[in-house]
Amino acid sequence: MNPNASVTGAAPGGARPLLTRRTLALLLLGGAAGTTATFALRTAVTGSEGRAPTAAGGAAAAAFDETYLGRRIVGAAVPGSEVDGTPAWRVTVDGRRLHLMRRADGTYMSMVDHYATYPTALAATRAAVEEIGHQALRARI
Amino acid sequence: MAAKTVRQNQRTLTKAQKRRFVDAVLTLKRQGRYDEFVRTHIEFYLGDGEGRTRVAHMAPSFLPWHRKFLLEFERALQRVDPGVSVPYWDWTVDRTPAVSLWANDFLGGNGRRSDHQVTTGPFARRHGHWDITESVTDGDFLMRDFGRPDHDPTGLPSKAELAEAMRETVYDTDPWNSLSPGGFRNKLEGWSAERGARVWYNHNRVHRWVSGHMLGAGSVNDPVFWLHHAFVDLCWSRWRAHHPKAEPYLPLREPPIGDPQHDKVVPANDTLPPWDTPVHDLLDHGDLYRYA
């Protein structure tokens, strides 16, 4: 089972995320075996490292659910969406969709920042949060 | 036929010319036309890792697409005031927040530190003529953050940086995207061909230096977008003059089946959406406008 699949299936589209960190961790632990899951869990929960555990933009980059600068950021790769090995991500900031785009080198950019790219979806999301300050994302974009 | 449009360096505009340009822009905004341009640009921004056909960015047609986009905007302005054209901002010369471009009688100044809100000039929210509605964030005011002092300090591109792009002897190179190792288009658009490298040049760096709305999908919300792209367009024109023997546009034909860029880019013999304009019709602008 792909742990990302479970997370994506439950990824919030509205204002209130369905997953807590605890259930995310349980899903990850239950869904994948051994060190990969542990690594994914650590990245997801502590969010201490902006780079993916695999190659840039790697398909195995862990889903995340963390509070960054006071904003709840949740993201997971979309199963089956890979282009040249790079998956699309579904990301929300405080429950509102943040659209990410992929660059040909496997990096990501966000609607907030179109003229630079970031090594992972998490890094692109954090940079977007830094940029928007106290504003909210518009619901419809 | 009307006299050919002349696009001037913004620093040479008279007070009256600035006022007429600003008034025409504000009229388009009031009519709802301006926000159509904002939406078009948002709609056509597509990363080159998405596996889809891209026309406006990270692609050979970056330059003709924006040329046509500017022409459409300029025509809209001229329907309001036939005497107006899009000025250009040479960012290798006018490089500080103190230049007349950012004065109260033209585009207004930098955003304030707290929320990057532009509070001076005709596009300040408080004057009631410039509400932002097509944007990523919910603020209804124009934002700028010159040089990004709190995030990642950014300078405007230098003459030397632009000259490096101008020295390129071909228009574009395979793989026709943001990783093209050579070619004028990618150097001017401003992506590094090195995978994962976090450095930006020329066109991209100007968007980053102005920052605020210019940083993201809603960049057209800042009227400086047009002055920036008019200079980018002028650079393309100059490049052609410096390299008269070079093909003005590449690729000439669709990359073959099996090539990763097959069906992903617009070749010279094709047309550009959303206008269905042949690329060939956009390679020379001499019949439409000239730069002074």
Side-chain angles (χ1 to χ4, degrees), chain B residues 81-95:
Chain B
D81 181 345
V84 168
S85 61
V86 177
Y88 65 90
W89 168 31
D90 182 344
W91 24 258
T92 68
V93 174
D94 290 308
R95 306 172 59 77

Side-chain angles (χ1 to χ4, degrees), chain B residues 47 54 99 142 176 195 199 203 240 275 280:
Chain B
R54 53 188 197 283
V99 298
L142 180 63
W176 319 113
R195 302 177 81 89
V199 286
H203 155 266
R240 284 209 57 189
W275 314 282
H280 273 303

Side-chain angles (χ1 to χ4, degrees), chain A residues 83 100-105 109 111-119 130-132 135-138 140-141, chain B residues 45 48-50 58 132-133 135-139 143 148 151 178 192 195-196 198 200 207-208 215-217:
Chain A
V83 172
L100 299 189
M101 288 180 189
R102 291 165 282 184
R103 190 181 166 198
D105 62 353
M109 58 188 147
M111 292 292 273
V112 173
D113 186 350
H114 262 0
Y115 302 92
T117 60
Y118 296 85
E130 289 168 23
E131 186 62 33
I132 65 180
Q135 292 196 35
L137 296 176
R138 282 183 198 249
R140 62 199 162 75
I141 290 191
Chain B
Y45 205 113
D48 57 6
E50 295 292 328
M58 299 179 157
I132 304 292
T133 58
S135 184
V136 184
T137 51
D138 64 357
M143 295 185 288
R148 302 173 60 70
H151 293 284
S178 71
S192 168
R195 302 177 81 89
R198 302 206 70 258
W200 329 104
H207 276 277
R208 301 192 68 73
L215 191 70

Side-chain angles (χ1 to χ4, degrees), chain B residues 141-278:
Chain B
F141 48 85
L142 180 63
M143 295 185 288
R144 292 177 187 145
D145 183 22
F146 292 165
R148 302 173 60 70
D150 297 328
H151 293 284
D152 55 330
T154 303
L156 285 166
S158 63
K159 277 185 195 296
E161 186 171 317
L162 179 57
E164 201 176 310
M166 299 297 277
R167 273 196 299 274
E168 288 291 317
T169 54
V170 293
Y171 175 77
D172 207 347
T173 59
D174 182 79
W176 319 113
N177 62 14
S178 71
L179 298 175
S180 292
F184 171 67
R185 188 274 310 166
N186 200 32
K187 291 273 168 68
L188 182 63
E189 188 176 359
W191 301 102
S192 168
E194 192 188 332
R195 302 177 81 89
R198 302 206 70 258
V199 286
W200 329 104
Y201 304 102
N202 292 314
H203 155 266
N204 283 351
R205 211 129 78 79
V206 175
H207 276 277
R208 301 192 68 73
W209 182 84
V210 179
S211 212
H213 279 98
M214 277 287 275
L215 191 70
S219 55
V220 178
N221 280 303
D222 193 330
V224 80
F225 173 93
W226 306 105
L227 284 75
H228 170 36
H229 271 278
F231 185 59
V232 169
D233 188 75
L234 169 57
C235 289
W236 183 24
S237 202
R238 285 178 179 161
W239 180 83
R240 284 209 57 189
H242 294 175
H243 304 276
K245 297 212 169 85
E247 283 289 349
Y249 185 88
L250 291 169
L252 292 175
R253 285 178 195 81
E254 179 70 41
I257 295 174
D259 185 309
Q261 294 300 318
H262 175 72
D263 212 22
K264 303 292 186 295
V265 296
V266 177
N269 58 356
D270 209 339
T271 60
L272 285 176
W275 314 282
D276 215 18
T277 304

Side-chain angles (χ1 to χ4, degrees), chain A residues 5-133:
Chain A
S6 318
V7 174
T8 307
R16 189 149 298 278
L18 301 174
L19 285 175
T20 63
R21 282 185 193 185
R22 180 182 293 272
T23 56
L24 174 67
L26 288 172
L27 272 170
L28 288 167
L29 281 174
T35 52
T36 309
T38 309
F39 200 139
L41 171 65
R42 191 180 304 128
T43 309
V45 174
T46 65
S48 61
E49 180 58 45
R51 273 204 76 84
T54 60
F64 57 85
D65 178 349
E66 66 175 35
T67 300
Y68 185 70
L69 300 179
R71 315 298 283 265
R72 175 85 181 274
I73 59 173
V74 179
V78 177
S81 65
E82 288 81 4
V83 172
D84 296 331
T86 303
W89 278 66
R90 185 176 173 86
V91 171
T92 57
V93 177
D94 290 341
R96 297 236 172 120
R97 184 80 190 270
L98 173 68
H99 186 56
L100 299 189
M101 288 180 189
R102 291 165 282 184
R103 190 181 166 198
D105 62 353
T107 58
Y108 293 86
M109 58 188 147
S110 79
M111 292 292 273
V112 173
D113 186 350
H114 262 0
Y115 302 92
T117 60
Y118 296 85
T120 62
L122 176 59
T125 305
R126 286 180 177 167
V129 165
E130 289 168 23
E131 186 62 33
I132 65 180

Side-chain angles (χ1 to χ4, degrees), chain B residues 10 15 68 74 119-120 137 145 276 278-279:
Chain B
Q10 57 79 26
K15 238 177 161 35
K68 179 66 178 170
E74 194 164 56
T119 59
T120 57
T137 51
D145 183 22
D276 215 18
V279 170

